[in-house]
């Protein structure tokens, strides 16, 4: 039985991981710590809040004393570290929060883990905590950008971050690596491609397109819309992390991708088609979303608006997950088509969740 501390577990990817883990390993203990900033939402964990093996703590990962207390009191053996500021646009206009959370927060977690798992036992004449693991969740953006002809990122690709967000994540990756090589902390790191799925904060591309269509708002496309991303269904990401925790080698990095490269403009058009089909197949949607005029008239692409590209916008990300496939047996279970259909349907079925966020009325 594992005892996990999941940082950022009320956020998009963290909450989906918590759902995955409690479903697949119901006897494991899961402690979530989340600062409940703008992207953290306790409602994301509503389905597990009454689970006897689940504990939620409203706290900041920069609070090293709190982290030490949680690791000790709950006898934590595994940290899965999702907590991060992650929106590139916000990092351009306000990078301070990214430095504080992504770098200093990760540093505080590492210091706490080292003290509780390694230093304290030694001070008491005991062996360091057996089979501990610090798993750090990172991003493909640390590798920089690719041209259309470049091979996909591998774990050996040199880091070349281009935004304050990706630079802060790159710094945290290096700190995790250093704590393994210098102090012997048992660490693994995974670098993932763009996630999508349930509970995705509405400012991100896919949920933004869905909710804007339902409000008949414009669909803003940066530049020419030809920026290419590899898209990973969020539950496949949780599955990949599970495999890293079960089979991954200490000190190693593993790329987790979806094998789904799409240009942003094509993503928008695909979502438009799926929403129009949903409205055509289910006439009740017209009553539920009367403002969705373009969807009702099957003309959602008319909402597309091209806007000035953001500074330093990376052209293409692509993950080569060969190492993870070969060494861990990882393979995404969802194709992009099945995953995006599930995602569109989830947003149609969960209006109260995303509308409360957009209204600013959700609980934090």
């Amino acid at each position: 039985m594992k005892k996990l501390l999941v940082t950022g577990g009320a956020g998009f990817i963290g909450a989906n991981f918590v759902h995955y883990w409690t479903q697949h390993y119901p006897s494991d203990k899961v402690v979530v710590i989340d600062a409940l900033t703008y992207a953290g939402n306790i409602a994301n964990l509503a389905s597990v809040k009454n689970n006897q093996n689940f504990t939620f703590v409203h706290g900041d990962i920069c609070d090293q004393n709190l982290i030490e207390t949680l690791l000790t009191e709950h006898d934590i053996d595994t940290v899965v570290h999702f907590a991060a500021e992650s929106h590139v646009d916000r990092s351009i206009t306000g990078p301070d929060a990214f430095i504080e959370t992504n770098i200093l927060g990760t540093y505080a977690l590492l210091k706490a883990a080292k003290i509780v798992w390694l230093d304290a036992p030694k001070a008491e004449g005991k062996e360091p905590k057996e089979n501990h693991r610090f798993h750090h969740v990172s991003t493909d953006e640390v590798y920089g950008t690719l041209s259309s002809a470049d091979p996909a990122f591998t774990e050996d690709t040199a880091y070349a971050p281009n935004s304050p967000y990706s630079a802060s994540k790159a710094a945290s990756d290096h700190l995790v690596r250093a704590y393994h090589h210098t102090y012997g902390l048992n660490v693994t790191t995974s670098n993932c491609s763009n996630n999508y799925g349930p509970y995705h904060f509405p400012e991100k591309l896919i949920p933004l397109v869905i909710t804007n269509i339902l409000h008949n708002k414009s669909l803003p496309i940066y530049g020419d819309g030809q920026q290419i991303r590899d898209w990973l269904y969020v539950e496949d990401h949780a599955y990949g992390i599970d495999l890293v925790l079960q089979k991954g080698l200490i000190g190693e990095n593993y790329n987790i991708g979806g094998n789904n490269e799409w240009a942003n403009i094509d993503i928008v058009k695909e979502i438009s088609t799926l929403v129009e089909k949903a409205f055509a197949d289910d006439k009740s949607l017209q009553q539920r979303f009367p403002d969705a005029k373009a969807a009702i008239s099957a003309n959602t692409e008319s909402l597309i608006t091209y806007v000035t590209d953001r500074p330093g916008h990376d052209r293409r990300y692509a993950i080569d997950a060969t190492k993870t496939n070969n060494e861990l047996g990882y393979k995404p279970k969802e194709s992009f088509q099945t995953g995006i259909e599930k995602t569109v349907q989830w947003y149609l079925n969960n209006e109260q969740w995303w509308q409360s966020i957009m209204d600013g009325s959700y609980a934090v």
Side-chain angles (χ1 to χ4, degrees), residues 75-260:
D75 193 25
I76 299 295
D77 53 50
T78 303
V79 170
V80 185
H81 176 33
F82 294 97
E85 293 284 345
S86 65
H87 196 258
V88 175
D89 285 0
R90 287 177 182 255
S91 82
I92 293 170
T93 58
D96 287 6
F98 290 74
I99 304 304
E100 290 163 5
T101 299
N102 299 354
I103 301 177
L104 298 181
T106 301
Y107 180 46
L109 287 168
L110 289 165
K111 287 193 292 180
K114 176 177 175 289
I115 287 170
V116 173
W117 289 342
L118 304 181
D119 298 345
K122 289 180 182 177
E124 297 174 3
K126 301 177 182 177
E127 291 296 314
K129 187 172 185 64
E130 253 188 304
N131 300 320
H132 69 267
R133 178 75 67 89
F134 188 105
H135 181 73
H136 176 57
V137 181
S138 190
T139 171
D140 56 0
E141 295 192 40
V142 298
Y143 297 125
T145 188
L146 298 169
S147 73
S148 60
D150 287 333
F153 302 127
T154 71
E155 290 81 359
D156 295 324
T157 300
Y159 277 26
N162 290 319
S163 71
Y165 160 62
S166 56
S168 67
K169 289 298 290 184
S172 66
D173 291 9
H174 292 317
L175 282 170
V176 172
R177 173 185 170 86
Y179 262 69
H180 169 63
H181 286 277
T182 301
Y183 303 114
L185 198 68
N186 291 346
V187 309
T188 44
T189 295
S190 56
N191 295 79
C192 69
S193 51
N194 280 31
N195 281 220
Y196 69 99
Y199 303 107
H200 204 175
F201 196 75
E203 73 182 358
K204 297 300 183 81
L205 177 63
I206 288 177
L208 178 69
V209 171
I210 298 169
T211 56
N212 275 18
I213 289 173
L214 298 177
H215 285 113
N216 215 52
K217 293 182 178 180
S218 65
L219 308 178
I221 305 296
Y222 280 128
D224 61 3
Q226 293 300 320
Q227 300 87 2
I228 295 173
R229 302 293 183 261
D230 174 36
W231 291 93
L232 173 67
Y233 190 64
V234 66
E235 189 169 335
D236 281 332
H237 187 188
Y239 169 59
I241 292 172
D242 183 3
L243 290 176
V244 175
L245 291 174
Q246 305 298 340
K247 302 179 182 180
L249 297 178
I250 300 302
E252 290 292 310
N253 287 47
Y254 295 92
N255 281 351
I256 302 176
N259 299 325
N260 285 298

